[in-house]
Amino acid sequence: MKRLLAIALSLAVIALTCGAALAAELPRTDAPRYKVAFYQSPHYHEQDEDGVRSGYGYDLMQDIAKNSQLSFSFVGYDKTPKECEQMLRDGKLDLYTAAKHTPEREAEFSFSKRPAITAKTCMSMKRGNDRIVPGEYDTYQGATVGLLRNHTYNQDFLDFAREEGLEFNIRYFEDATSLADALIKEQVDILVDSYIRVPDDEVVLETFGETPYYFMARTEDQGLLDQIDAAIDRMNVATPNWRSDLYDKHYGAQSLLLELTEDERQYLAQLQKRSTVIRAAMGPDKRPYSWFENGQPHGIVADMFAAAAEALGLEHQVVPASTRAEYRQMVEDGSVDLWLDVVGDQEGTDEPFYRVTSPYLQTTLSILRLNDSSGKISRVGLVRNNTEFKRIVAATWPDAEIVMLESTQECKEQLLGGGVDAAMMRSYRAEDLANDDARGRFRVDVVPNSSLALRMGVNASCDYRFFSIWDKTLANVAATQGAQITQSYLEQSMDLSLTAFLYRNPALLACVASCVLVLVFVTVLLVLNYRRRIRQQEAAAQLERALDEVRRSNVLLEEARDLAESASNAKTSFLFNMSHDIRTPMNAIIGFRDLLEKNQEDPAKRDDYLKKIEAASNVLLSIINNVLEMARIERGNLSVEEVACRAEQFNDALFSIFDELMTQKGLTFTRQINVEHHCVFCDPTKLREIFANILSNAYKYTEPGGTVHMELREAPCDRPGWTLYRTTITDTGIGMAPEFLPHIFEEFSREHNTTDAKIEGTGLGMPIVKRLVDLLEGTIEVTSEKGQGTTFVVTIPHRIASEDDLVALERAQFDPQLFQGKRILLAEDNDLNAEIAVELLTEAGFQVERALDGAACVDMLTAAEAGYYDLVLMDIQMPNMNGYQAARAIRGLEDSGKSCIKIVAMTANAFEEDKREALKSGMDGHLAKPVDVQELVRTLTVALSPDASPED
């Protein structure tokens, strides 16, 4: 999932500029706005000094607005809850979002059927209170208890005290703040109060039920409450876990650490007084979990053991074991107190008996395979005595033979020797073995549904109190230090030696070697050239006429050299800037992924890191797309594909793309259209790329407070049946120096690099614009003044179209029922891409079966009954048989029910020529990777429609 978390986060927001230029207007429906009580309440209603709102209640109303035809404004942050209730009564508010049912309120207000949030009433004490032990009622006797006067659950507490025969000294308080202060100042030993989230400095002793809080409105607004109930019902269907997700985001899980009883503390004191040494055994060859170096223990397991022992103040020792047999013997003869790496919860049931603790580490299982291996797994290597592993192998590969081996190192040797097809082991161990192989011959594949708990076994001959002490302490250490300990070893295992790095990057090694050879070659040429010039000088007196000829030749050579050096310098500068520009977003992606992994439990940081990863991914994709686009232009692979379109609709689409971006940056973006012929033939894709590049530069190089203006006018044209569209884009940005303007359309040319301007780019945007304008037989002019701004004027000729030429592009609407029960055959050789595709398709309602290559896809379709599969999603670049070959083979099947199945390409071959090749090979549609979810749903909806034709 780490790789999935690192890649899947860059796929989401890529197809926004690829929508159709022409579309019917979106239907509009009124969204009435209601005023919502927004009184100050920690975690529920919060507002910072800039007026930015947050909290459980605020986010809940945003979700309701997204699932209904309602909109909300928020009022009353400077009011108390009682004042807000009065405002509702006076008609100054429409909705109160967290109200408890009371007879008085029910007499004048209406309530929703669905609760907004639920609180629980707790009896709790201050953390660190040694006199009261949770669950031991005799320690409660005579304690001073604080209650809120007239609290709903006071009677439940009094009933509890009477049933248990407990006597308390009771003090009443008027508000929750006074009650909490009394507990902190130890004026009371115990308090009873309702909590949405129990404070971290309190320990819960008992709970007495839950209190739901509802939406409340005036009786005449019952319709508003009905719409809110309906919205919550939709949320329950679409995202069943929304309540717990929203709760965890704003309140978080309560972090209670397990505490020792008085009896356990006394027993621990005896162990400490006797200087007790805890002796333990662990596997000697399970890096990064456990291993020995010079007799000293290392690894995640060893550090968790040491941290728990140190927390108890006890001396500890891991008994060295040089072999697995020696390690197993220590466990089996019961000579140690602790068995540190028990797998699952079934180990240790035979003699000698070990009591198994709660899990202190959750991990997965992976299979180690050779990089070039493929096909069915027939023989799986396992280290002996791993019974839990045997069960997982039997469930995952029921026909595979299990080969028992002595160590993970032997598993690696058997893989290299062909004795097994795969070796299964814990994921961290598999990754460590793969990283440790200098030649990079192994790959690691996670076994699905293979979550594995690592526990410790306490020898049954040890006192039962020691087990309880150790179990609680280990759980606390795992909760507070487990992630840090594990991460430290994972970072070590990811470090590669220089040799391993070069083995894993042969292209880089070849590049370095090539550079050295080129340097040697250039040096030889320079030496030879120097010697030639010396000989020319020595013969100058005798070859005066020849010298003149040589000088003229040298002039030509110098000019050629200057041109070559100029081109070389431009490309060198480009490569330098590209290296920096690519590393900048890549560094952000990698850095924020690491921070995301360490801060999974912090919702605010998690959301912030995800947004920054998304932004960096878009920057990186933009850089790569520009380079690839320039390569296509250089190869001459571009052609003009004209369709009839309306000037206003194209301009609207282009304007909408940048309007929100510029507004967010504080720019004023205006436009003007003045044309006589509104319908023309054009290539909207290339026009969009031209103007998007120019507008993107205007956006990037204009400071907040500036303006950008786009104007479309029709110019006279002397060509019958044609017109000239002249688009002028003017900004008030930083402008360009006069000496740079003649070079603006040169490849790799940039006035500022990323470091100077803090703006990413490749220096290819304007060259691409110039090539596309030339392709469309147009012209482009640019004027600019440093510090004043820039103006681009683009003039493009278009054939005049009529209204009859316009074709309405009807977008198929997604019908959830259309996908239910449909079965897709997915041809995808890449496991990661397959996992993403299966997840997206399954969520949409499809059943998905996967073929590992084109040949397997054809075989599975041939073997299935007619109509078993409804559609084929086909990757292009696959081993054995690529996607084009597989599509042609399917179209050639004798069974017409199978040969006519819908086939849609889903591939990283994303250019226009790739799309044409897909249709030429018999496919019905084309999706470019990274896959946009909305485009995927639209394409599949069209493909599965009864009257669909290729590329509707």
Side-chain angles (χ1 to χ4, degrees):
M1 294 302 294
K2 291 180 181 177
R3 294 195 191 109
L4 180 60
L5 180 64
I7 300 175
L9 297 169
S10 64
L11 305 178
V13 192
I14 300 172
L16 289 178
T17 61
C18 299
L22 301 175
E25 290 188 2
L26 190 67
R28 299 292 182 91
T29 304
D30 289 341
R33 182 176 292 273
Y34 295 94
K35 294 180 180 179
V36 179
F38 195 74
Y39 51 83
Q40 185 173 358
S41 177
H43 302 291
Y44 190 79
H45 289 156
E46 293 185 338
Q47 181 173 301
D48 65 17
E49 59 185 12
D50 296 323
V52 178
R53 301 183 181 92
S54 60
Y56 181 102
Y58 179 76
D59 282 357
L60 173 59
M61 299 312 297
Q62 301 304 311
D63 289 342
I64 289 174
K66 295 172 186 175
N67 288 274
S68 66
Q69 200 63 30
L70 302 172
S71 60
F72 304 103
S73 59
F74 299 89
V75 180
Y77 196 68
D78 57 341
K79 307 294 183 183
T80 66
K82 287 185 178 180
E83 289 173 333
C84 285
E85 183 175 345
Q86 185 60 44
M87 292 173 67
L88 178 66
R89 187 177 289 110
D90 296 340
K92 297 178 181 179
L93 287 174
D94 301 306
L95 193 66
Y96 192 100
T97 64
K100 185 166 59 177
H101 273 288
T102 65
E104 295 79 13
R105 284 175 171 171
E106 290 173 349
E108 60 175 328
F109 295 111
S110 291
F111 291 83
S112 64
K113 296 179 182 178
R114 309 287 183 260
I117 195 170
T118 301
K120 60 183 177 181
T121 299
C122 300
M123 171 180 166
S124 57
M125 68 174 185
K126 183 179 179 181
R127 186 180 295 282
N129 187 334
D130 295 332
R131 293 179 291 107
I132 300 175
V133 180
E136 296 185 9
Y137 290 166
D138 56 337
T139 65
Y140 299 2
Q141 200 70 255
T144 301
V145 178
L147 299 177
L148 286 173
R149 195 176 302 279
N150 300 322
H151 194 283
T152 306
Y153 283 99
N154 284 353
Q155 189 59 48
D156 291 336
F157 163 73
L158 297 174
D159 291 342
F160 160 76
R162 185 178 61 256
E163 291 171 3
E164 299 298 336
L166 300 175
E167 295 184 0
F168 296 103
N169 299 315
I170 297 178
R171 290 184 58 189
Y172 287 97
F173 295 83
E174 297 300 325
D175 56 76
T177 302
S178 301
L179 177 59
D181 288 342
L183 184 69
I184 294 172
K185 297 175 182 177
E186 299 184 356
Q187 296 170 354
V188 296
D189 303 306
I190 295 172
L191 63 76
V192 176
D193 197 2
S194 290
Y195 287 130
I196 294 174
R197 176 186 184 273
V198 178
D200 289 337
D201 58 357
E202 294 183 20
V203 177
V204 175
L205 301 173
E206 300 288 336
T207 58
F208 303 115
E210 296 184 340
T211 303
Y213 290 83
Y214 297 88
F215 299 90
M216 183 172 69
R218 294 182 298 277
T219 54
E220 60 265 29
D221 288 333
Q222 181 62 50
L224 169 60
L225 296 174
D226 292 341
Q227 291 187 66
I228 289 175
D229 283 331
I232 291 178
D233 288 340
R234 295 186 196 103
M235 291 159 62
N236 290 337
V237 172
T239 53
N241 297 325
W242 69 267
R243 284 190 186 276
S244 59
D245 292 343
L246 202 56
Y247 180 90
D248 288 344
K249 175 181 178 181
H250 293 288
Y251 294 100
Q254 183 185 5
S255 57
L256 294 179
L257 298 181
L258 301 174
E259 298 188 357
L260 305 182
T261 66
E262 182 61 31
D263 184 32
E264 290 168 349
R265 285 196 290 268
Q266 292 177 3
Y267 179 70
L268 176 60
Q270 295 175 14
L271 296 179
Q272 294 169 339
K273 185 176 181 180
R274 293 200 299 263
S275 300
T276 304
V277 179
I278 309 173
R279 302 177 75 252
M282 71 178 193
D285 60 348
K286 300 178 181 178
R287 185 186 182 110
Y289 298 93
S290 59
W291 78 97
F292 293 93
E293 288 182 11
N294 301 322
Q296 297 300 313
H298 295 273
I300 300 170
V301 170
D303 284 6
M304 293 289 285
F305 166 65
E310 289 168 3
L312 292 173
L314 297 176
E315 297 183 22
H316 53 282
Q317 176 192 11
V318 179
V319 181
S322 57
T323 64
R324 285 188 62 83
E326 191 176 333
Y327 152 67
R328 295 296 303 188
Q329 184 61 42
M330 282 191 288
V331 172
E332 291 171 2
D333 64 20
S335 60
V336 291
D337 305 310
L338 289 176
W339 177 7
L340 299 186
D341 43 5
V342 178
V343 177
D345 56 4
Q346 302 300 319
E347 298 277 3
T349 55
D350 298 329
E351 295 295 338
F353 182 73
Y354 287 84
R355 298 187 182 97
V356 181
T357 67
S358 303
Y360 65 89
L361 179 64
Q362 291 285 347
T363 184
T364 58
L365 294 180
S366 293
I367 56 171
L368 190 68
R369 300 192 72 184
L370 294 177
N371 269 328
D372 56 358
S373 63
S374 61
K376 184 178 180 181
I377 296 176
S378 301
R379 290 167 61 84
V380 180
L382 293 181
V383 177
R384 293 188 185 280
N385 299 311
N386 282 333
T387 56
E388 181 73 7
F389 291 13
K390 292 180 185 178
R391 181 188 62 79
I392 294 174
V393 170
T396 309
W397 299 281
D399 299 329
E401 177 188 351
I402 296 177
V403 179
M404 304 308 299
L405 303 170
E406 294 301 326
S407 65
T408 53
Q409 187 63 34
E410 188 177 351
C411 290
K412 178 177 177 179
E413 294 169 358
Q414 286 291 318
L415 272 172
L416 293 173
V420 295
D421 303 314
M424 191 168 76
M425 59 194 71
R426 298 171 195 161
S427 293
Y428 297 160
R429 178 58 178 150
E431 292 172 1
D432 188 74
L433 284 174
N435 289 335
D436 200 42
D437 184 64
R439 298 175 61 182
R441 293 169 292 181
F442 299 101
R443 74 170 190 265
V444 177
D445 298 328
V446 177
V447 179
N449 302 318
S450 63
S451 179
L452 196 67
L454 209 60
R455 308 166 187 264
M456 292 188 186
V458 179
N459 198 310
S461 60
C462 296
D463 191 284
Y464 72 92
R465 289 170 295 182
F466 174 73
F467 172 81
S468 179
I469 291 171
W470 187 260
D471 191 34
K472 291 177 181 179
T473 305
L474 183 62
N476 291 341
V477 167
T480 58
Q481 303 178 46
Q484 181 180 359
I485 291 173
T486 302
Q487 183 62 27
S488 67
Y489 282 97
L490 294 185
E491 291 171 354
Q492 294 176 23
S493 66
M494 291 170 64
D495 294 336
L496 295 177
S497 66
L498 177 61
T499 304
F501 178 78
L502 292 177
Y503 266 115
R504 295 183 180 205
N505 296 273
L508 180 60
L509 178 60
C511 180
V512 172
S514 299
C515 290
V516 172
L517 290 176
V518 169
L519 181 62
V520 171
F521 180 69
V522 170
T523 302
V524 171
L525 287 180
L526 291 175
V527 171
L528 293 176
N529 185 57
Y530 174 75
R531 292 178 177 176
R532 179 179 62 80
R533 293 178 64 183
I534 292 296
R535 289 195 299 269
Q536 288 176 343
Q537 291 174 3
E538 292 174 349
Q542 303 174 7
L543 302 173
E544 195 64 41
R545 294 176 60 185
L547 181 59
D548 292 338
E549 192 67 26
V550 169
R551 286 173 178 169
R552 287 193 294 271
S553 299
N554 282 342
V555 170
L556 295 176
L557 287 173
E558 289 291 333
E559 292 176 353
R561 188 188 69 181
D562 290 341
L563 289 174
E565 286 181 353
S566 176
S568 176
N569 290 337
K571 291 193 176 184
T572 299
S573 176
F574 163 72
L575 291 174
F576 177 83
N577 289 328
M578 278 290 294
S579 174
H580 180 275
D581 291 350
I582 288 176
R583 286 175 180 272
T584 297
M586 279 300 297
N587 181 62
I589 292 170
I590 294 171
F592 285 121
R593 187 209 67 80
D594 290 341
L595 291 173
L596 178 63
E597 185 179 26
K598 296 176 181 177
N599 293 276
Q600 285 289 325
E601 303 303 323
D602 189 329
K605 288 185 177 180
R606 183 179 63 218
D607 292 345
D608 182 48
Y609 297 154
L610 287 173
K611 290 177 182 177
K612 290 176 179 176
I613 289 173
E614 176 184 299
S617 300
N618 288 335
V619 170
L620 181 59
L621 185 66
S622 174
I623 293 171
I624 294 172
N625 281 342
N626 273 346
V627 176
L628 294 177
E629 182 68 11
M630 201 66 202
R632 293 179 63 224
I633 292 173
E634 294 288 353
R635 295 200 310 268
N637 287 343
L638 291 182
S639 60
V640 179
E641 297 185 5
E642 292 186 333
V643 296
C645 67
R646 190 181 301 277
E648 288 80 4
Q649 288 180 325
F650 176 84
N651 198 275
D652 286 348
L654 190 64
F655 183 85
S656 65
I657 294 173
F658 288 91
D659 185 35
E660 183 176 354
L661 282 173
M662 295 197 184
T663 300
Q664 291 175 352
K665 188 176 178 181
L667 304 178
T668 301
F669 186 26
T670 58
R671 61 169 174 166
Q672 183 178 356
I673 302 175
N674 186 9
V675 295
E676 177 183 356
H677 298 92
H678 298 271
C679 301
V680 296
F681 288 97
C682 67
D683 188 330
T685 301
K686 294 178 178 60
L687 287 177
R688 188 182 300 110
E689 187 164 5
I690 291 171
F691 296 123
N693 265 297
I694 298 174
L695 287 169
S696 178
N697 280 352
Y699 165 77
K700 289 190 290 188
Y701 293 106
T702 303
E703 297 294 334
T707 63
V708 178
H709 180 67
M710 179 172 65
E711 180 180 12
L712 172 62
R713 290 186 175 273
E714 187 170 353
C717 181
D718 55 3
R719 190 174 177 183
W722 288 71
T723 185
L724 288 176
Y725 274 8
R726 179 164 295 151
T727 302
T728 303
I729 298 175
T730 303
D731 65 64
T732 59
I734 62 176
M736 291 175 279
E739 58 270 23
F740 177 73
L741 282 178
H743 306 285
I744 187 172
F745 297 121
E746 294 175 4
E747 295 173 18
F748 319 126
S749 178
R750 297 172 64 185
E751 185 176 19
H752 306 281
N753 62 26
T754 304
T755 304
D756 296 332
K758 306 298 182 185
I759 299 173
E760 292 84 359
T762 61
L764 292 177
M766 288 297 102
I768 290 173
V769 167
K770 183 63 169 67
R771 299 295 182 89
L772 292 177
V773 170
D774 291 343
L775 180 68
L776 298 176
E777 300 180 355
T779 62
I780 181 169
E781 302 170 8
V782 56
T783 57
S784 184
E785 185 176 351
K786 198 75 172 178
Q788 299 299 316
T790 302
T791 297
F792 284 88
V793 179
V794 179
T795 305
I796 305 290
H798 297 286
R799 283 192 300 127
I800 299 172
S802 65
E803 292 287 344
D804 294 336
D805 294 320
L806 292 174
V807 179
L809 301 177
E810 299 179 358
R811 284 192 171 273
Q813 298 300 314
F814 170 51
D815 179 6
Q817 299 302 319
L818 178 64
F819 295 167
Q820 299 300 320
K822 299 292 185 182
R823 184 177 283 103
I824 285 183
L825 177 56
L826 173 66
E828 174 61 70
D829 64 310
N830 184 279
D831 292 339
L832 187 58
N833 288 340
E835 182 178 354
I836 295 171
V838 169
E839 186 70 21
L840 293 175
L841 294 169
T842 302
E843 288 182 357
F846 287 104
Q847 300 177 30
V848 184
E849 294 182 14
R850 177 192 174 192
L852 293 177
D853 54 47
C857 175
V858 176
D859 292 342
M860 291 174 67
L861 182 62
T862 303
E865 296 179 2
Y868 179 78
Y869 296 110
D870 298 284
L871 182 140
V872 176
L873 270 181
M874 184 77 72
D875 189 19
I876 298 302
Q877 295 187 9
M878 295 184 291
N880 299 326
M881 181 185 288
N882 65 36
Y884 300 140
Q885 296 167 338
R888 294 188 183 98
I890 291 173
R891 295 301 183 223
L893 294 176
E894 294 181 0
D895 187 339
S896 60
K898 299 176 181 178
S899 64
C900 295
I901 190 170
K902 297 289 184 179
I903 306 175
V904 176
M906 187 167 70
T907 173
N909 294 15
F911 292 131
E912 196 62 33
E913 55 266 31
D914 301 316
K915 180 177 178 181
R916 289 195 294 268
E917 181 64 23
L919 298 177
K920 182 179 177 182
S921 66
M923 300 191 196
D924 302 277
H926 181 276
L927 285 167
K929 296 177 182 175
V931 176
D932 173 59
V933 177
Q934 294 181 352
E935 186 63 18
L936 172 65
V937 170
R938 187 198 73 81
T939 301
L940 295 182
T941 301
V942 171
L944 293 172
S945 298
D947 55 348
S949 59
E951 278 302 286
D952 279 351

